[in-house]
Amino acid sequence: MSVDESSLSESSLRAVGWARSLPVSSGVKAARDWTRGHLESLDWARSAPDTVDAVLLTVSELVTNAHVHAGATAQLVLTWDSECLHVTVHDASPELPEQRRPTTGATGGRGMLLVDALADSWGAYPCPRGKEVTACFRPVS
């Protein structure tokens, strides 16, 4: 059975999305640059520059976590549903991230605290081949 567009109700979700694999060798800058380009297509650089900064810092943190803790390629997916930008990073590690209080002088351990402060919401979910961490952003006009 197939569904055609004429059978979709007005309340049906319509979204646009982009996906990219980021090997450890590509670096986090590649993830930020790629994300920035898609945010420009949404015109957020002009209409929501603070949200752009929050998204880019979150992408940096989530991709860094995937590379450091899973030691493997991260898949970055951006999905815009006209209300919220969902930033999802998948990696091969089954270990879910935790917010933790870094000790004085620690050089790491603040990533999920930053994501929690920047995103409107976030969550981590186990998957058959690892986990996904998703942060959601609603641009303020």
Side-chain angles (χ1 to χ4, degrees), residues 32-135:
R32 282 192 311 269
D33 291 346
W34 180 82
T35 300
R36 183 180 290 111
H38 290 295
L39 294 177
E40 287 172 3
S41 75
L42 297 174
D43 198 32
W44 284 22
R46 182 191 57 76
S47 64
D50 291 340
T51 305
V52 168
D53 292 342
V55 169
L56 294 175
L57 183 52
T58 297
V59 164
S60 292
E61 291 299 330
L62 295 181
V63 171
T64 296
N65 282 353
H67 287 169
V68 169
H69 298 292
T73 297
Q75 286 77 40
L76 172 59
V77 178
L78 306 176
T79 309
W80 171 241
D81 64 14
S82 77
E83 291 182 18
C84 184
L85 177 73
H86 307 270
V87 176
T88 302
V89 174
H90 177 272
D91 68 50
S93 171
E95 190 173 325
L96 298 179
E98 297 177 15
Q99 286 185 20
R100 58 182 185 212
R101 294 277 174 218
T103 59
T104 303
T107 59
R110 293 172 181 82
M112 295 316 295
L113 289 171
L114 283 170
V115 171
D116 187 58
L118 295 168
D120 291 301
S121 63
W122 74 275
Y125 312 95
C127 297
R129 291 185 179 94
K131 68 173 168 297
E132 290 183 350
V133 181
T134 300

